[in-house]
């Protein structure tokens, strides 16, 4: 198992979009219709279903 951590999302990373595309589509096997927006909407709906009417404190890092 290998790991590498860096930030392909920053503007000065050469070919960052290509890195993301390869990971999402090539490694993870997500279809071309996959988008972070679609995933975020799905994840929010799953959380709402799980939590129901309860209240939740959520710490989240990243951008949409």
């Amino acid at each position: 198992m290998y790991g590498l951590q860096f930030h392909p999302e920053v503007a000065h990373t050469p070919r960052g979009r290509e890195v993301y595309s390869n990971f999402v589509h090539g490694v993870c096997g997500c279809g071309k219709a996959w988008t972070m927006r679609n995933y975020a909407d799905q994840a929010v709906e799953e959380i709402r279903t799980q939590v129901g009417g309860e209240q939740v404190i959520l710490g989240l890092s990243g951008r949409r």
Side-chain angles (χ1 to χ4, degrees):
M1 183 178 291
Y2 297 92
L4 175 65
Q5 181 178 346
F6 69 108
H7 294 275
E9 75 279 6
V10 296
H12 59 274
T13 298
R15 300 170 65 184
R17 286 187 171 269
E18 185 178 345
V19 170
Y20 269 129
S21 180
N22 184 55
F23 179 75
V24 170
H25 304 296
V27 176
C28 297
C30 296
K32 296 292 183 179
W34 187 96
T35 65
M36 188 61 196
R37 175 71 182 184
N38 291 344
Y39 172 75
D41 290 343
Q42 176 187 342
V44 167
E45 193 56 39
E46 289 174 4
I47 292 168
R48 284 187 176 138
T49 299
Q50 182 179 7
V51 171
E54 300 296 318
Q55 293 185 345
V56 174
I57 296 174
L58 172 67
L60 182 64
S61 175
R63 66 179 194 205
R64 189 173 200 177

